[in-house]
DNA sequence: AAAATAATTTAGGTAAGACTAAATTTAATG
DNA sequence: CATTAAATTTAGTCTTACCTAAATTATTTT
């Protein structure tokens, strides 16, 4: 495969994330995620589609998806990112709200050798500090069977698996409530008017809005 | 201070190294060290001199030196590089011939926070794995009082302080001979014809040419 | 279905940082 | 000191990746 630039890697990573739901990624969504103007995104997408082998599949006005090569390159970056986050937390005492920004830069700078060394040093972890799955060494994304907390109803118990947010403020808030991966919770109340859930964590009860419950993914017990 | 690009950081670092002897760095030397064509180096030097504040002092055809700002930026990168090398060796088991290349990329990607964390984790080391001095947190380069091994003569004993080479082959060779920082040696013979020195390391004797003895710096006992 | 709105693409430009070829300046040599 | 050689700079291009403004296409709404 050809060497990919930092920019290309960031595009492919975002396209991977946006297309996980099965839909192609739109120019606008991509532009928002990358903090790049839509016009520039169109240009870059056209270049990625013109590479040989092509990194993305693209039809004007129809959005963009990853080719096999593009997906491989995306998973490589995602593996770097998530291993780095785990490594920074475990060995340098970063907190889960601090790691993302650092990993965002380092992911493009480390070698495959570095990747292997930290994976081995951490005992080949399967999840990062936010509970996100780490692509395997041969670049397969493990299957994920988690459910959004927002789908639970009273009397259901679950274990928190992952939190999909990079917002440090939200992450610190969740940590202060004890809502972190591995923790067991129980839903005690549900309001159909505002979709709030009352969730028991340890002995405390917290009322959580949709903004939070759609970002916490759990395994139902 | 303004943010410096990866390219700028590499230029400043090389200029620092080339001007350590007191002489301005020439366009050609810089081009050779950076693997960039002399014409491009001239262009970049002119840009660095035009920044405000200027990062380099430059007079056409007279070579280039660092300003106070430029030296500070250079020492920042050098501190990153050397701390990273120490950290890669200590925590990930890199050997001293492997670290340089990895550090060369990471030095531009880590945050000041990352720098502080690895410095603290390593106990604020003063030298990197090759024995090179690490600039302090407030960006002063400690004084170095070492002597090139080539200046020693029979019956002088010394401790190896630093090895100035990034050539993996040479580094592996030196390691195989036991010529690494901290080791005590004794010069037993000198040939004025080829400037070879015979050096006792432990129980072994090795005849070393100028190519090696000028790259090993020692503290005379 | 036409008009209005939103999303997307094209066109034209900029900035960084590199290269080649040609011109110029300095240094070395007979 | 006049020539030649070496080092350096200028001029003109190229690539990557971004931007703004204008044009186009798609999607809603009336
Ligand atoms: Mn992250
Ligand atoms: Mn990134
Ligand atoms: Mn080094
Ligand atoms: Mn570098």
């Amino acid at each position: 495969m050809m060497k990919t630039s930092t920019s290309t890697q960031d595009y492919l990573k975002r396209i991977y994330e946006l297309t996980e739901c099965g839909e192609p990624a739109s120019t606008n969504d991509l532009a928002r995620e990358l903090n790049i103007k839509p016009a520039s995104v169109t240009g870059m997408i056209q270049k990625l589609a013109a590479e040989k082998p092509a990194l993305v599949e693209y039809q004007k006005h129809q959005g963009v998806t990853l080719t096999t090569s593009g997906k491989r390159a995306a998973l490589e970056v995602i593996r770097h990112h998530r291993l780095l986050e785990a490594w920074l937390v475990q060995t340098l005492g970063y907190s889960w709200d601090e790691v993302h920004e650092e990993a965002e830069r380092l992911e493009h700078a480390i070698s495959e050798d570095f990747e292997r060394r930290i994976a081995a040093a951490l005992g080949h972890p399967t999840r990062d500090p936010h509970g996100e799955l780490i692509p395997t060494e041969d670049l397969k994304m493990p299957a994920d069977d988690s459910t959004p907390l927002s789908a639970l109803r009273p009397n259901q118990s679950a274990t928190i698996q992952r939190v999909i947010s990079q917002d440090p403020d939200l992450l610190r808030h969740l940590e202060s409530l004890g809502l972190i991966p591995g923790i067991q919770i129980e839903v005690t109340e549900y309001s159909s008017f505002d979709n709030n859930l009352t969730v028991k964590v340890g002995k405390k009860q917290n009322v959580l809005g949709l903004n939070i419950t759609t970002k916490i993914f759990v395994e139902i017990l």
Side-chain angles (χ1 to χ4, degrees), chain A:
Chain A
M1 292 301 118
M2 77 256 59
K3 319 130 220 296
T4 52
S5 68
T6 293
S7 286
T8 294
Q9 289 175 5
D10 279 337
Y11 273 86
L12 296 175
K13 190 169 62 155
R14 296 305 174 201
I15 295 170
Y16 182 93
E17 290 164 359
L18 288 170
T19 55
E20 268 183 310
C21 61
E23 297 290 298
S26 77
T27 301
N28 255 11
D29 289 350
L30 213 38
R32 181 175 28 73
E33 293 295 318
L34 289 164
N35 288 308
I36 289 172
K37 294 288 171 291
S40 306
V41 171
T42 297
M44 184 58 135
I45 284 174
Q46 289 172 344
K47 190 178 311 184
L48 297 179
E51 300 260 355
K52 46 171 201 167
L55 295 169
V56 303
E57 185 75 43
Y58 166 68
Q59 307 257 87
K60 279 181 189 171
H61 297 97
Q62 302 306 128
V64 65
T65 56
L66 294 174
T67 62
T68 304
S69 298
K71 187 182 288 187
R72 183 140 17 92
L75 288 171
E76 185 71 70
V77 187
I78 293 170
R79 178 169 163 85
H80 285 186
H81 183 98
R82 296 183 180 173
L83 278 174
L84 279 164
E85 287 194 349
W87 172 252
L88 293 170
V89 166
Q90 298 248 314
T91 75
L92 287 175
Y94 275 77
S95 56
W96 77 336
D97 55 289
E98 295 173 320
V99 281
H100 182 75
E101 191 190 347
E102 193 81 51
E104 195 67 36
R105 277 174 287 107
L106 291 173
E107 64 189 4
H108 310 291
I110 69 174
S111 66
E112 293 306 287
D113 185 33
F114 187 103
E115 174 200 310
R116 277 189 291 272
R117 284 176 194 259
I118 59 177
L122 294 169
H124 303 282
T126 59
R127 290 177 185 272
D128 79 5
H130 309 98
E132 298 283 2
L133 286 160
I134 299 175
T136 57
E137 193 166 1
D138 62 338
L139 302 180
K140 310 287 183 210
M141 181 65 86
D144 171 49
D145 58 342
S146 60
T147 313
L149 174 54
S150 57
L152 298 214
R153 290 296 172 266
N155 295 321
Q156 286 191 293
S157 287
T159 304
I160 297 182
Q161 276 198 326
R162 40 192 269 262
V163 174
I164 52 167
S165 171
Q166 286 124 224
D167 175 19
D169 289 330
L170 175 57
L171 291 172
R172 271 194 296 276
H173 177 60
L174 293 179
E175 189 168 32
S176 76
L177 299 179
L179 294 167
I180 57 177
I183 291 297
Q184 188 173 332
I185 60 175
E186 184 185 346
V187 174
T188 57
E189 282 183 52
Y190 167 66
S191 159
S192 63
F193 302 109
D194 51 14
N195 290 113
N196 278 354
L197 287 179
T198 304
V199 174
K200 199 166 90 178
V201 191
K203 306 201 162 155
K204 285 179 189 156
Q205 304 253 107
N206 293 293
V207 182
L208 307 175
L210 262 189
N211 237 343
I212 288 181
T213 55
T214 54
K215 290 185 177 137
I216 296 175
F217 284 72
V218 302
E219 189 182 14
I220 300 173
L221 296 176

